[in-house]
């Protein structure tokens, strides 16, 4: 289980990471690489989505998942499988609506 520190970032910085990933894995014509500050575990409060964007870029593969519940997003970043995390997020969201 990964216990790297989760860094809170802005949605704008999250977009920088995701767009760079797209460029790197779309032929990488400019030989771009992630900077050290763009590698790691990141959590973004997304007010438009009313939830959290979890980004695992520890390996440069930029895994991104959205959750309504912050604790679920953190569990995902620390190794919970995406399917299990989505099920838990749905369950907790339904409890909050009831």
């Amino acid at each position: 289980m990964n216990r790297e520190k989760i860094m809170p970032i802005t949605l704008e910085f999250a977009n920088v990471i995701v767009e760079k990933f797209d460029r790197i894995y779309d032929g990488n014509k400019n030989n771009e690489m992630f900077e050290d500050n763009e590698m790691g575990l990141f959590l973004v409060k997304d007010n438009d989505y009313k939830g959290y964007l979890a980004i695992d870029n520890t390996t440069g593969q930029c895994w991104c998942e959205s959750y309504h519940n912050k604790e679920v997003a953190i569990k995902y970043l620390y190794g919970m499988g995406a399917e299990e995390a989505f099920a838990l997020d749905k369950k907790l969201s339904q409890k909050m609506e009831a």
Side-chain angles (χ1 to χ4, degrees):
M1 182 179 288
N2 190 348
R3 282 295 174 195
E4 185 172 331
K5 183 177 179 187
I6 296 173
M7 301 297 299
I9 59 172
T10 64
L11 191 55
E12 290 78 17
F13 189 61
N15 286 332
V16 167
I17 293 170
V18 172
E19 288 170 6
K20 185 178 271 191
F21 171 81
D22 288 342
R23 289 191 306 272
I24 289 171
Y25 287 94
D26 186 27
N28 200 11
K29 297 175 183 102
N30 297 321
N31 292 321
E32 280 188 273
M33 294 177 63
F34 286 109
E35 302 293 327
D36 286 344
N37 69 328
E38 298 167 334
M39 299 288 292
L41 301 173
F42 303 101
L43 187 63
V44 182
K45 174 106 170 90
D46 186 344
N47 293 322
D48 292 334
Y49 173 71
K50 295 187 171 97
Y52 296 86
L53 176 64
I55 301 174
D56 179 348
N57 199 32
T58 54
T59 62
Q61 302 232 324
C62 199
W63 298 98
C64 302
E65 302 292 350
S66 295
Y67 299 99
H68 291 97
N69 184 285
K70 181 179 181 178
E71 297 307 314
V72 175
I74 291 169
K75 287 178 188 243
Y76 165 76
L77 288 172
Y78 281 149
M80 179 180 275
E83 286 185 28
E84 184 180 357
F86 284 127
L88 179 58
D89 194 53
K90 183 178 180 180
K91 180 180 177 181
L92 292 173
S93 295
Q94 289 171 341
K95 279 186 179 179
M96 291 180 70
E97 291 173 3

